[in-house]
Amino acid sequence: MVRRNSFRLPRHPASVGLARHRVRDHLADWGHGPDDPAVTDAMLLVSELATNVVRHGPLLEREFEVAVTALADGSCLIEVSDEGRLEPRLRVVGEWEERGRGLHIVENIAAAWGVWSRGGHGKTVWALILADT
């Protein structure tokens, strides 16, 4: 069974921790235990992606969206969306300017990650966490 939940949070530093806890709580509700490596990885990845929105998102944007999807095989998809433009440095996975460690962490933990354009409505950065096999 595939389960998905999305929620919006204010673009504020306190929202990073809230995003992390809400993702953990949704995964727990769906049967993922607290010691499940996918839960730990999901919490770290949503924290990094939400931090990027809070630090680098559009100045006039008041909210961002987080989505967590638990896939039938136990894998997990994390998505963080904002109203920002798709920057050329994010168009090709793995090629970006050095601004910090966030996307390096995402690249090293996620099985795959990337950026989807939402047309005139911003972008979504996603990360896939495979089930522990």
Side-chain angles (χ1 to χ4, degrees), residues 50-67:
T51 296
N52 280 350
V53 169
V54 169
R55 287 188 179 164
H56 307 296
L59 294 177
L60 297 177
E61 183 176 20
R62 300 172 98 178
E63 293 183 320
F64 64 98
E65 183 176 15
V66 176

Side-chain angles (χ1 to χ4, degrees), residues 7-57:
F7 50 92
R8 296 190 68 76
L9 295 170
R11 188 175 165 248
H12 185 275
S15 293
V16 174
L18 184 56
R20 188 173 48 246
H21 293 294
R22 289 192 63 184
V23 165
R24 179 200 62 208
D25 291 347
H26 286 301
L27 290 172
D29 288 347
W30 299 334
H32 290 267
D35 296 329
D36 184 342
V39 173
T40 304
D41 289 348
M43 289 174 52
L44 178 57
L45 291 176
V46 77
S47 183
E48 294 300 329
L49 296 178
T51 296
N52 280 350
V53 169
V54 169
R55 287 188 179 164
H56 307 296

Side-chain angles (χ1 to χ4, degrees), residues 38-128:
V39 173
T40 304
D41 289 348
M43 289 174 52
L44 178 57
L45 291 176
V46 77
S47 183
E48 294 300 329
L49 296 178
T51 296
N52 280 350
V53 169
V54 169
R55 287 188 179 164
H56 307 296
L59 294 177
L60 297 177
E61 183 176 20
R62 300 172 98 178
E63 293 183 320
F64 64 98
E65 183 176 15
V66 176
V68 56
T69 305
L71 304 172
D73 67 355
S75 298
C76 178
L77 179 67
I78 300 294
E79 300 166 82
V80 177
S81 302
D82 67 18
E83 300 291 323
R85 295 179 330 154
L86 183 58
E87 297 178 35
R89 68 184 179 86
L90 290 177
R91 288 186 194 274
V92 177
V93 174
E95 293 181 15
W96 60 85
E97 294 175 19
E98 185 63 40
R99 280 194 185 174
R101 296 184 188 151
L103 293 178
H104 288 289
I105 291 170
V106 171
E107 184 172 82
N108 285 306
I109 291 176
W113 76 277
V115 183
W116 292 320
S117 172
R118 295 174 38 210
H121 302 286
K123 68 180 177 309
T124 298
V125 181
W126 59 271
L128 177 66

